[in-house]
Amino acid sequence: MAFARRLALILSLTSMVLACQPKQEVSAEPKKAPKKDSVKADKKEGAKTAQKPEAELADPGKFLVPFAWEAAKDEPLALTRQFLGDVFTDNQAYMEHGDKFFAAFADKQTPRATVLTCADSRVHTTAWDVTPENDDFVVRNIGNQVENAEGSIEYGIEHLRTPLLLVIGHTGCGAVKAAMSDTSKLSAPIQKELEHIHLPKPTPGKTPESAWAEAVIANVNNQVETALKHFGKDVQGGQLTVVGAVYDFRNDLLQGAGKLTIVNVNGNSEPERMAAFVEAISGKRDEKNPQDKKHGKSGKKLDDASAAAEIAEQIAKLHHSVEGETHVTAIGEKHAAKHE
Ligand SMILES: [Zn+2]
């Protein structure tokens, strides 16, 4: 710990000293790195090296490790340094968990859920699991798509034997928005990455925001369907439940910012069924926490069943069926029962 802090201090002091000097780059690998005054010089050299053998071009020594930093705070190098500085600090703090904490899962992972979610930086496991370590086997890509990560998902389900596949989409999803419009101007890799987002045409008269939220739900429903095609046998055998949910940090679904809303269970998305599902889970929680019951956010006294039904009704109003497909939702509530 002391060493890392010292290192961070040295790096910090070094950067302060160098920040006062003219901009320059210094290689961390002087033996391998070609003698060049700057990255710019390196780039100029690029034209000459274009015909060199591939192995030589791939030499990591061609890229310089930056030690002299930026002149302005918004330069990429500055942002990188700031982020990594935070990483070192946060990692140091995380190590305070201690050996016992890490030893608990050092030799084997035993997650209870395979979680497929979007790569969006605003979406993180801590929104639904305060202790995701060794609990959430997380697979991420833009638009939380099953087919883009089939191997990883299969690993979680078939090898780690997680009894739950949780597909979590989110409001404000850029991948869904991109898929809603013309993707032909996007790069080939991104177009390919969006291939498995198939959306129904928006309901006429919807506001763009509402159509977007609707598309997020439709995508989750589609991804659950795709998962069921791959892992239907496990579901049939009772070894797996596939749950689709939407994490709503924008409060587009009007259930409160940050709410995780269940929209699909094993291919079912009818509001009544979702409400019943949530009620069943809530019932388990209430057995442990009777005090937890009957107090909604608004302060109104509602039992869980009627609260879920009321919320399902509200969401149903928000999301009418699109081209014969039912979209609606009920509410999932995060429970703390697992670590009790
Ligand atoms: Zn997204």
Side-chain angles (χ1 to χ4, degrees), residues 47-298:
K48 292 180 192 170
T49 58
Q51 293 176 346
K52 286 188 179 177
E54 207 170 287
E56 198 178 335
L57 287 173
D59 180 356
K62 298 283 180 194
F63 300 96
L64 304 179
V65 174
F67 277 97
W69 301 94
E70 71 293 340
K73 281 187 176 179
D74 57 350
E75 285 181 9
L77 275 179
L79 300 173
T80 299
R81 178 162 63 98
Q82 287 157 18
F83 182 83
L84 288 178
D86 290 345
V87 164
F88 297 151
T89 304
D90 289 355
N91 176 242
Q92 204 64 50
Y94 192 72
M95 287 175 70
E96 302 287 336
H97 275 94
D99 292 348
K100 200 177 168 186
F101 172 83
F102 295 106
F105 48 78
D107 298 326
K108 192 183 179 187
Q109 64 167 325
T110 53
R112 293 184 300 167
T114 297
V115 179
L116 170 63
T117 191
C118 184
D120 193 295
S121 64
R122 298 163 294 181
V123 179
H124 285 282
T125 47
T126 43
W128 55 83
D129 190 344
V130 290
T131 52
E133 297 91 348
N134 196 28
D135 211 11
D136 295 43
F137 181 75
V138 184
V139 180
R140 303 181 68 155
N141 57 47
I142 53 171
N144 37 273
Q145 301 168 72
V146 172
E147 280 171 297
N148 297 3
E150 205 183 326
S152 296
I153 296 167
E154 185 175 308
Y155 188 82
I157 293 170
E158 307 292 354
H159 291 264
L160 300 176
R161 309 305 308 176
T162 61
L164 171 64
L165 170 61
L166 188 53
V167 179
I168 302 180
H170 67 96
T171 49
C173 184
V176 168
K177 192 170 194 179
M180 288 171 80
S181 50
D182 179 20
T183 59
S184 64
K185 286 180 182 171
L186 297 170
S187 72
I190 294 178
Q191 277 187 49
K192 190 170 167 53
E193 188 78 5
L194 296 173
E195 258 175 18
H196 301 293
I197 300 181
H198 304 293
L199 302 169
K201 284 179 183 171
T203 312
K206 289 270 176 186
T207 64
E209 291 297 299
S210 181
W212 190 7
E214 197 171 73
V216 164
I217 295 172
N219 180 47
V220 168
N221 285 329
N222 289 341
Q223 299 304 331
V224 169
E225 287 301 329
T226 304
L228 290 170
K229 282 178 194 156
H230 289 277
F231 307 108
K233 276 189 182 175
D234 294 305
V235 175
Q236 235 166 8
Q239 283 130 14
L240 177 70
T241 302
V242 182
V243 171
V246 172
Y247 170 53
D248 182 18
F249 56 78
R250 289 157 50 102
N251 198 21
D252 283 350
L253 305 183
L254 307 176
Q255 307 306 312
K259 185 79 177 176
L260 189 73
T261 297
I262 304 294
V263 298
N264 197 309
V265 179
N266 291 341
N268 302 285
S269 58
E270 302 89 336
E272 297 78 13
R273 284 192 174 191
M274 298 301 96
F277 179 77
V278 171
E279 184 187 348
I281 294 170
S282 301
K284 280 177 191 171
R285 179 208 51 187
D286 287 342
E287 283 166 17
K288 289 190 175 182
N289 294 310
Q291 298 303 321
D292 227 3
K293 209 174 175 181
K294 296 183 179 178
H295 293 285
K297 272 186 180 172
S298 63

